[in-house]
Amino acid sequence: MTSAIIVDKLTYGYSKHEPVLTNASFTISEGEFVAVIGPNGGGKTTLLKLLMGFYTPWSGTISIHGVQTKKYPSGIAYVPQNLRFDRKFPITVEALVLGGKLSTLSFLGRYSKEVKAQAMYALEKVGLADYASRAFGTLSGGQAQRALIARALVQDPKILLLDEPTANVDAEAEAN
């Protein structure tokens, strides 16, 4: 099996004297589902942000599909554990999901019918197709989390990183 992610001797922290991760090494193969568990403040979110290229490691390497990277790698989608946003910001659920396809915008700033269909399909997958035209700020915490998952899914990523993906999601939605 081909390696999707290789982390070798990774060290990082927020204070020069207190590393959050020290000498971490692991390999994740294509097709694997991996859960990182640990206590609050244990470095799980920090690790995901390092994989996304949001932070630069103090030492060690990260390879995504065989390419050593320190910047935002392509082919990865990320769902944060919480999203701080202005609930009054006028964006629909569909527009939020389409944000995952910004790179496909036409010169005139329009999405193709195919891309819009992909967004609706992603919303169907998370049980929010009926909420597409609703303002994102009106969603419950669980619905908002599912909309963010749809935004990640519409990107058709090779690697999907979910930071506490079931936070605020109701039991019925988790079962889907």
Side-chain angles (χ1 to χ4, degrees), residues 56-98:
T56 302
W58 289 354
S59 63
T61 60
I62 299 170
S63 296
I64 307 291
H65 293 291
V67 178
Q68 198 173 86
T69 183
K70 289 188 180 179
K71 295 182 181 179
Y72 186 82
S74 63
I76 293 183
Y78 172 69
V79 178
Q81 64 178 301
N82 53 40
L83 178 67
R84 292 177 182 87
F85 65 95
D86 180 354
R87 288 198 162 280
K88 294 178 185 173
F89 186 77
I91 187 170
T92 65
V93 173
E94 180 184 32
L96 175 96
V97 174
L98 284 167

Side-chain angles (χ1 to χ4, degrees), residues 76-127:
I76 293 183
Y78 172 69
V79 178
Q81 64 178 301
N82 53 40
L83 178 67
R84 292 177 182 87
F85 65 95
D86 180 354
R87 288 198 162 280
K88 294 178 185 173
F89 186 77
I91 187 170
T92 65
V93 173
E94 180 184 32
L96 175 96
V97 174
L98 284 167
K101 298 293 268 186
L102 281 174
S103 65
T104 68
L105 273 176
S106 72
F107 177 72
L108 299 174
R110 296 202 173 120
Y111 292 102
S112 68
K113 288 180 183 179
E114 179 182 294
V115 168
K116 287 184 177 184
Q118 290 170 353
M120 286 306 298
Y121 180 72
L123 283 168
E124 287 171 15
K125 294 296 276 181
V126 299

